[in-house]
Amino acid sequence: METEDFKLAPAMDADEGAAKVIGDDGAAEFERFDVPLLEMVRSEHLSNDIKNGSYVRYHRHCSNKLRRLRKNLKLAHGRGKTFQKKPLTVELAQKDSRHLVLLLFSAERAWSNAMVIKEDRRRRRYVGRRFMKAAKLAERLAEFSRELGEDKTTLEADAYSSWMSAISLLERERLEESLENFKKAQLLFEGLATAFGAQSTLYRERLEELEPSIAFCRYSIARQKGEDPTSMMNAASPRVDNLVAAKIDAALSESRKVQAESFGSVDWCGRNIPIRTEKVGEGILLAREAVHTMEQESDFDKKAALYDKIFIAYNDVSRTVSKQRSEITAAAEKETLSQIAEQHLQELDLISQYIKHSRLRQTIARNLLLVQKHVEANSKPDDLVRLYENLRQNCQEILDLDGILSDPKSRDMTQAEIRKFEASRCFWLAKSYKSQHRWSESILLFKRAEMLLNDAYAESESVGDPKKSDLAEMVKESISLRAMAHAQGVLENLKLDKSFKEGMQLTETGRKRTVVSGDERFESVLRVRPRA
C-alpha cells in the first residue's frame, strides 16, 4: 500500500516563513522554499521497511511517486507514445517546491536500484553506475537548493549530496575521497543538530549511521599505507572544516536572529527582564548555545575551549549593554530623560547584572571542573587551595550583585556555597601543611576544617544542596588524616627526645654541664608539655 505523500504548497506564503529573493528592480522574483528533505527520506524509509532490506519495495514506491509528481507538475516525458524529454531548470523550479522533491526521490530511486542490484551477483557490475547516477542527482538537488531553498534546506541538501557521493566513491574503492565526503556530511549534520535543536534527533541518527563508514574508510586507508590503523581513527580534515564552516555559521546566525525576534525576556532572581534589543538577544542565545554544547561534551580539553567561547559571548553582550547605556546617559546630559528612557536604563542595569551573574556561574563551573581534574591527577594541595579561594571569591562577587538581595533562595544557596568552599580550602590547606611535615599546624587546620565542614553540611542540607554528601566524605577523610598527622608528630618527637638525651652532655673547662638552657633550639612540633 502506498504511503501518503508530503503535502507541499506550490508556493509558500510570506507569512509562512519563506524568504523573498529581490531582483535588481526591487520586485520580489520568487520565494525561497523550506522543504524538509531529510524528514521526508526518513519517513519513507520507515514506511517501506528499509532497515530490513526491502529495497525492491522502496524502488517501486519511488517510481510510483515520481510518476505522480511528474504528472501533477506536467513534466511527464513524451506526448502520447512519443518520448520527449522535459528538462528541469531552476527557472521552472521557482514556481513549485515539489520540483525539489522530484530531484530528491529521483536520487532515492537510483540509490534503491543500486542496493537491489548489489544483492544480485549477475548484475553486480552495474552497481557503480547506479550509485554514480544517484550521486549526480543528489548534487543537482544541492545546486537547486542553493538557488531556491532556505538555509536549512540548503544545508540538508548539501549533507545528503555529500553522503551520496561518499557512498558512490566507496563502492568504487576511492577511499580517501569517500572519507572526505563522509566527514563533510558529518560536519554538516553536526551543524544542523546545533542550529535546529527541534530536529536534533533526526540529525543525530544520521551521524550514528555515518560512524561505521568513516571508521571503515580510515581503517582501510591506514592498511593500504602500511600504517597502524588506529593512527587515523581521529584524524581531522581541515579542508573539509573550512568548506562547511561558513555554511554552518550562516545557518546558526540566521536561526539565532529568528529566535531573537521572539526572545522577549529573561527570568532572573524572581524578576522578568524584557529584552528590547535584538543584538542583546542574539548574544544571550549564543552564550546559551555554547553552554548547551559544553554540557553535552565529556572531553576536558573540548570543555575548556567551549568555556572560552561562553566567556567571549558574555563579554560581547556586556559591551553591547554598556554601549547602549552610555548612549542613554549621554542623551540625559543634553535633555531630561523621558519615563520610557529611565525605565529602559533600569532594564539595562538588570540585564548587566544578569550577564555578570551568568558569567560568574560559568566561572564557578569551570573552576569546579579544574578541581576535579587536579584531584584525579593527584596534584599538589597548594593548587587546590588556590582554586577554592577563587571559588569563594566568585561566590562573594555574586552576593555583591544588587539583584541577588531580592531573591532569598539564590542568596542562601550562594552563602552555603561560600561556607562549603571555605571549609574545602581549609581542608586542602591542612593537607598542604601535612605534606611539608608541619604536624602541629596540620592538626589544628584539620580540626578547624572538620568544624567548618560540619557547619557547611548543615547549611547545605537546609538549602537542599544535592552535593552535601561530598562534605560528609571530606569530614571522614579529615579525621583520618588528622590521626595520621598526630601519629607522625609523636614519632618525630620521640626521635628528637632520644637524640636530646644522648647528645646533651657537653664538656666546658673540664666540667660537665647539662644543656637544659639551650632547649629553645629544639622546636617542639607538638608543643608537648615538658617533663617535671
Side-chain angles (χ1 to χ4, degrees):
M1 184 177 178
E2 296 293 340
T3 58
E4 185 178 358
D5 295 338
F6 279 82
K7 304 298 182 184
L8 293 172
M12 302 181 75
D13 296 332
D15 57 357
E16 293 179 358
K20 291 185 178 180
V21 178
I22 308 299
D24 296 334
D25 57 354
E29 295 181 350
F30 67 94
E31 295 175 354
R32 290 192 176 275
F33 303 127
D34 182 11
V35 184
L37 300 174
L38 296 179
E39 182 62 35
M40 286 183 177
V41 171
R42 182 175 71 168
S43 177
E44 298 294 350
H45 283 190
L46 290 174
S47 300
N48 291 277
D49 202 19
I50 284 295
K51 285 189 176 181
N52 293 324
S54 300
Y55 298 112
V56 175
R57 172 184 170 184
Y58 186 54
H59 178 256
R60 190 182 303 116
H61 169 75
C62 289
S63 298
N64 294 335
K65 189 177 186 71
L66 289 170
R67 191 179 301 112
R68 292 195 302 272
L69 280 170
R70 286 191 173 276
K71 183 177 180 181
N72 293 333
L73 294 170
K74 298 181 181 180
L75 273 177
H77 298 308
R79 293 180 178 177
K81 295 183 179 180
T82 306
F83 178 81
Q84 184 177 353
K85 187 174 181 179
K86 290 188 177 181
L88 179 60
T89 61
V90 174
E91 291 75 15
L92 182 62
Q94 291 176 4
K95 301 176 182 178
D96 198 320
S97 60
R98 289 178 294 177
H99 290 96
L100 298 181
V101 182
L102 182 70
L103 288 171
L104 174 66
F105 282 97
S106 296
E108 283 289 294
R109 181 177 65 174
W111 171 79
S112 60
N113 191 18
M115 297 302 290
V116 171
I117 296 174
K118 197 173 182 179
E119 297 173 355
D120 189 347
R121 294 182 179 179
R122 294 173 298 176
R123 302 168 61 197
R124 208 182 187 295
R125 61 180 180 273
Y126 302 114
V127 173
R129 298 180 187 176
R130 301 308 299 173
F131 275 126
M132 286 176 64
K133 182 175 182 180
K136 288 180 180 178
L137 288 167
E139 176 58 32
R140 197 174 178 207
L141 170 64
E143 292 173 0
F144 273 60
S145 297
R146 294 185 200 111
E147 296 290 334
L148 307 174
E150 292 187 352
D151 290 334
K152 180 183 173 185
T153 303
T154 303
L155 284 173
E156 286 190 358
D158 285 340
Y160 179 79
S161 175
S162 298
W163 171 75
M164 194 66 80
S165 297
I167 293 292
S168 175
L169 292 165
L170 182 62
E171 183 65 30
R172 287 175 281 161
E173 297 184 357
R174 293 164 62 177
L175 297 173
E176 293 186 0
E177 296 176 61
S178 177
L179 176 61
E180 187 174 329
N181 279 276
F182 273 129
K183 293 188 72 176
K184 180 182 176 182
Q186 184 184 43
L187 289 170
L188 285 166
F189 284 131
E190 288 175 352
L192 283 163
T194 304
F196 307 99
Q199 292 183 300
S200 60
T201 304
L202 168 64
Y203 305 127
R204 297 293 175 193
E205 288 177 1
R206 283 281 183 170
L207 284 170
E208 291 176 3
E209 293 172 2
L210 288 176
E211 288 176 1
S213 300
I214 292 174
F216 173 77
C217 288
R218 286 173 173 165
Y219 181 86
S220 301
I221 291 170
R223 287 289 299 272
Q224 287 181 357
K225 294 181 178 180
E227 300 174 356
D228 182 11
T230 59
S231 64
M232 289 192 64
M233 295 310 292
N234 295 316
S237 180
R239 187 159 67 92
V240 172
D241 291 350
N242 296 332
L243 183 65
V244 302
K247 293 181 181 179
I248 293 174
D249 289 342
L252 284 169
S253 179
E254 187 66 28
S255 176
R256 236 179 271 119
K257 285 181 181 178
V258 173
Q259 294 180 50
E261 291 175 358
S262 59
F263 189 56
S265 60
V266 292
D267 294 323
W268 178 64
C269 292
R271 298 182 182 182
N272 186 266
I273 311 170
I275 305 295
R276 303 188 185 279
T277 309
E278 185 177 323
K279 193 171 183 181
V280 174
E282 287 182 33
I284 294 174
L285 287 171
L286 177 61
R288 287 184 176 182
E289 287 173 7
V291 171
H292 179 70
T293 306
M294 181 273 301
E295 289 173 350
Q296 293 180 331
E297 189 59 61
S298 57
D299 183 71
F300 175 82
D301 294 331
K302 291 181 180 179
K303 271 182 174 286
L306 287 169
Y307 271 119
D308 293 339
K309 187 177 180 181
I310 292 169
F311 296 141
I312 290 171
Y314 279 127
N315 290 337
D316 290 342
V317 181
S318 183
R319 281 192 291 269
T320 302
V321 172
S322 298
K323 184 179 179 181
Q324 293 179 3
R325 196 181 187 287
S326 300
E327 291 173 355
I328 297 175
T329 306
E333 295 176 357
K334 298 179 181 178
E335 56 180 310
T336 305
L337 286 177
S338 64
Q339 188 176 358
I340 296 176
E342 289 181 358
Q343 184 181 357
H344 190 199
L345 196 61
Q346 293 175 1
E347 291 170 357
L348 288 174
D349 289 337
L350 288 173
I351 292 172
S352 179
Q353 290 189 51
Y354 164 76
I355 293 167
K356 288 179 183 177
H357 179 265
S358 301
R359 184 171 52 205
L360 285 168
R361 276 293 162 197
Q362 294 305 321
T363 304
I364 290 171
R366 184 190 62 177
N367 286 337
L368 286 173
L369 184 68
L370 291 172
V371 166
Q372 182 182 354
K373 183 185 180 184
H374 282 295
V375 170
E376 292 174 354
N378 198 21
S379 301
K380 294 180 180 180
D382 293 343
D383 297 333
L384 277 301
V385 172
R386 284 191 291 271
L387 283 172
Y388 276 112
E389 177 60 25
N390 291 338
L391 285 164
R392 190 194 66 78
Q393 291 177 2
N394 295 147
C395 289
Q396 189 59 53
E397 289 179 27
I398 290 177
L399 282 181
D400 293 339
L401 296 174
D402 295 335
I404 292 292
L405 300 177
S406 61
D407 187 6
K409 185 177 179 181
S410 298
R411 185 185 65 242
D412 295 343
M413 181 67 75
T414 306
Q415 288 175 343
E417 287 179 318
I418 289 177
R419 300 287 180 273
K420 181 168 64 175
F421 295 146
E422 284 177 346
S424 301
R425 178 186 178 281
C426 186
F427 171 77
W428 285 101
L429 186 61
K431 291 188 75 172
S432 176
Y433 275 97
K434 181 177 178 292
S435 66
Q436 299 171 37
H437 297 178
R438 298 175 65 174
W439 311 116
S440 110
E441 290 91 340
S442 65
I443 290 171
L444 291 174
L445 286 168
F446 276 127
K447 281 185 178 180
R448 178 166 175 76
E450 290 160 24
M451 180 184 68
L452 293 174
L453 287 166
N454 286 322
D455 292 343
Y457 181 87
E459 196 162 349
S460 297
E461 193 173 24
S462 65
V463 298
D465 186 358
K467 296 183 179 180
K468 61 180 183 293
S469 57
D470 297 342
L471 297 172
E473 293 296 326
M474 204 174 288
V475 170
K476 293 179 182 178
E477 186 178 358
S478 178
I479 294 172
S480 174
L481 292 173
R482 178 163 59 88
M484 293 172 62
H486 186 272
Q488 291 287 346
V490 170
L491 286 174
E492 191 167 309
N493 187 64
L494 290 174
K495 292 178 182 178
L496 287 172
D497 189 47
K498 184 178 179 181
S499 64
F500 185 82
K501 288 181 178 180
E502 291 177 352
M504 289 301 116
Q505 296 255 339
L506 298 178
T507 302
E508 185 179 312
T509 63
R511 186 176 55 165
K512 288 186 178 181
R513 176 172 172 265
T514 304
V515 189
V516 178
S517 59
D519 61 351
E520 65 274 4
R521 293 178 299 166
F522 296 84
E523 181 181 358
S524 177
V525 177
L526 293 178
R527 296 188 178 90
V528 180
R529 182 179 297 174
R531 298 178 183 177

